[in-house]
Amino acid sequence: MAAGKGKVKLVFWAHQEDAFVEAYKRLIKAYQREHPDIEIKFQSFPYDIYNQKLKASFSARTPPDIAEMFGTWVPEYSRNGALAELPNGEALSKDYYPAPIGGYMLNGKLYGLPMEYNIENGGMLIHPQMLKEKGIDRPPATWDELVDAAKKLTVRDGKDIKVKGFDFASLDNITFTFLSLILQQNGDFWGENDHVNFQTPEAVKAMTVLKTLVADDKVTDLTTLGSQLDTSDYFFQGKSAMTYRGPWTIAAGLNNYQVKDFDYVPIPSFTSEKPVFAAESGWGAVAAEKSKAKAEALDFIQFMAQKDHLKAWNLDTFTVPAKKEVAADPEFVKGNPYMKTSLSILQYGQWIGPIADRNYFFKQVNDHFQLIAMGKESVEDGLKTMERAINDSQDNHK
């Protein structure tokens, strides 16, 4: 808010994650050096409470001037008139990939800018030595090769799996893999009136493929689904040979596990089509419509989005660039060579769409996938039930 003596004070909220917090603080210092008449008070909050704190502050009409938001949260606020529109939004949006910018757009207007490309598709962690020991001399180049390799790489101890050949069974990746398999068949998962449509041949085939990997091929299981550790943690512990996960997990292997004998390679498309996929809009920054210093708040957001500032932020946070010119900068991949696989597929991503309740959507897919994989529900019945539940939720949020 604006102070009485000409000094402008802005309040900036974000979620608590060390790399993110430090990267934001560096940008704030840089901005304040160029704008000595502006003071930015930065506050961060634990992720578990952050979303609810944001909702409460906007509902009470006492929001921060600037807020870091996850892209899937943004449409609820923009639809309700709570966010400030960026000037020249249509032109600005073209500087970004469709998937990350999608959540920040509404009716051709832009209500914030993404700092990252939140991607869980297109790449997987592999242990090259495990592949070599099974006579596999290169990463799989087709879906059939992937399944064949996964079977060879799976190590069993009686009925239990000791090393998973291909682990995709995480709370995020089940949903993202399901949606990508639909898209790679030239299908779609959205119907009319912001309803999902899972009654298509492409959806049935996609879910059947995922069920087969667990129930028939047995290259992974559901024993760790929903546990405190991520599937990438089990990978870095040597408990899977190939794990489908986003590039953000690489940092954990390097920093937390000190593992270096791994690689991050492309996942082949399910079909002969390009490896298209759906992605959520990731973390970004928005300004409150109620801010008394709205122009300054929007200016700071655009300052963070300048190429060199955003490139430094992406490198510092080990995140994938949402902005095309950052992703195309050879200095970026030089600074983080592990990002090469993800950078090569960014153009194939599309925004996941107008999901009203992200947690509920993903929970429905995960819960029914588990029932399907365990043989407690048919593919067709599971898809019908999850579709009905998600569409009821979509209607309740209108």
Side-chain angles (χ1 to χ4, degrees):
M1 61 184 71
K5 296 183 180 179
K7 186 89 169 177
V8 175
K9 293 187 178 181
L10 297 172
V11 174
F12 178 16
W13 285 5
H15 82 294
Q16 248 168 37
E17 185 173 330
D18 290 346
F20 279 53
V21 168
E22 293 308 311
Y24 282 129
K25 286 180 177 178
R26 283 190 280 273
L27 286 175
I28 290 169
K29 286 182 180 179
Y31 185 77
Q32 291 181 151
R33 281 196 299 269
E34 293 186 15
H35 301 81
D37 58 328
I38 296 177
E39 178 185 343
I40 300 176
K41 182 181 180 182
F42 179 76
Q43 296 175 274
S44 62
F45 305 91
Y47 175 80
D48 291 344
I49 68 167
Y50 183 52
N51 192 13
Q52 293 306 315
K53 187 171 182 66
L54 278 175
K55 288 182 178 180
S57 71
F58 275 89
S59 295
R61 298 180 180 273
T62 56
D65 301 283
I66 305 156
E68 180 199 50
M69 279 193 187
F70 198 69
T72 310
W73 305 345
V74 174
E76 178 182 354
Y77 293 88
S78 55
R79 281 196 303 266
N80 293 329
L83 304 181
E85 179 188 349
L86 272 86
N88 201 25
E90 189 172 352
L92 273 178
S93 67
K94 294 176 182 177
D95 295 336
Y96 292 81
Y97 290 102
I101 201 69
Y104 296 85
M105 298 289 297
L106 180 67
N107 299 326
K109 297 180 179 180
L110 185 61
Y111 294 93
L113 291 173
M115 299 291 288
E116 60 153 353
Y117 195 129
N118 184 60
I119 182 173
E120 294 292 348
N121 291 90
M124 63 179 175
L125 301 157
I126 68 166
H127 287 296
Q129 184 60 30
M130 288 188 182
L131 272 69
K132 184 177 179 181
E133 289 171 358
K134 296 296 183 179
I136 304 169
D137 59 2
R138 58 172 174 76
T142 67
W143 188 265
D144 287 342
E145 287 184 6
L146 174 68
V147 175
D148 184 59
K151 292 177 181 177
K152 293 177 181 176
L153 291 163
T154 303
V155 178
R156 291 181 174 78
D157 182 7
K159 291 185 179 180
D160 298 325
I161 298 179
K162 186 177 180 182
V163 178
K164 298 176 181 180
F166 176 57
D167 192 7
F168 67 92
S170 70
L171 295 177
D172 279 348
N173 277 81
I174 288 169
T175 299
F176 282 120
T177 306
F178 171 55
L179 300 182
S180 71
L181 296 185
I182 293 173
L183 295 174
Q184 288 167 17
Q185 298 175 73
N186 281 321
D188 196 3
F189 51 88
W190 285 106
E192 298 179 349
N193 301 318
D194 291 345
H195 281 187
V196 295
N197 178 11
F198 293 151
Q199 304 305 302
T200 64
E202 293 85 4
V204 171
K205 187 171 184 178
M207 185 56 71
T208 301
V209 166
L210 298 187
K211 172 192 175 182
T212 299
L213 288 170
V214 175
D216 301 325
D217 299 331
K218 300 185 188 316
V219 298
T220 189
D221 57 32
L222 308 179
T223 54
T224 60
L225 185 61
S227 69
Q228 289 188 334
L229 291 180
D230 188 77
T231 50
S232 59
D233 291 294
Y234 294 109
F235 171 84
F236 290 119
Q237 291 173 5
K239 296 178 181 178
S240 70
M242 302 187 297
T243 293
Y244 199 178
R245 212 64 176 103
W248 59 272
T249 57
I250 296 167
L254 297 172
N255 300 328
N256 301 341
Y257 289 93
Q258 305 296 309
V259 174
K260 294 183 179 179
D261 57 339
F262 72 95
D263 205 352
Y264 192 74
V265 302
I267 287 256
S269 175
F270 178 55
T271 67
S272 59
E273 299 295 321
K274 299 293 185 183
V276 290
F277 60 93
E280 296 177 278
S281 299
W283 290 109
V286 300
E289 177 65 22
K290 294 290 183 183
S291 171
K292 294 180 180 178
K294 186 166 59 176
E296 290 83 357
L298 290 171
D299 186 67
F300 175 65
I301 290 172
Q302 292 177 85
F303 173 86
M304 292 196 294
Q306 292 175 17
K307 180 187 174 184
D308 288 344
H309 298 152
L310 196 51
K311 181 172 69 174
W313 191 91
N314 288 135
L315 287 171
D316 289 343
T317 58
F318 212 98
T319 51
V320 179
K323 200 170 190 179
K324 295 174 183 176
E325 64 175 349
V326 177
D329 189 340
E331 289 299 313
F332 179 80
V333 75
K334 184 178 179 181
N336 189 347
Y338 281 104
M339 287 291 179
K340 184 178 179 181
T341 289
S342 294
L343 293 175
S344 68
I345 64 160
L346 298 184
Q347 68 270 31
Y348 301 128
Q350 67 179 52
W351 180 43
I352 196 169
I355 295 174
D357 187 330
R358 191 264 190 203
N359 291 340
Y360 188 80
F361 185 107
F362 278 60
K363 187 176 188 301
Q364 290 303 310
V365 177
N366 284 320
D367 287 353
H368 288 285
F369 169 72
Q370 292 177 71
L371 293 172
I372 290 167
M374 292 186 291
K376 296 182 178 180
E377 198 171 54
S378 71
V379 169
E380 291 78 8
D381 287 345
L383 289 172
K384 287 177 184 176
T385 307
M386 74 172 76
E387 178 190 283
R388 184 165 56 248
I390 290 170
N391 288 339
D392 285 346
S393 172
Q394 294 287 103
D395 290 341
N396 289 335
H397 282 82
K398 289 181 179 178

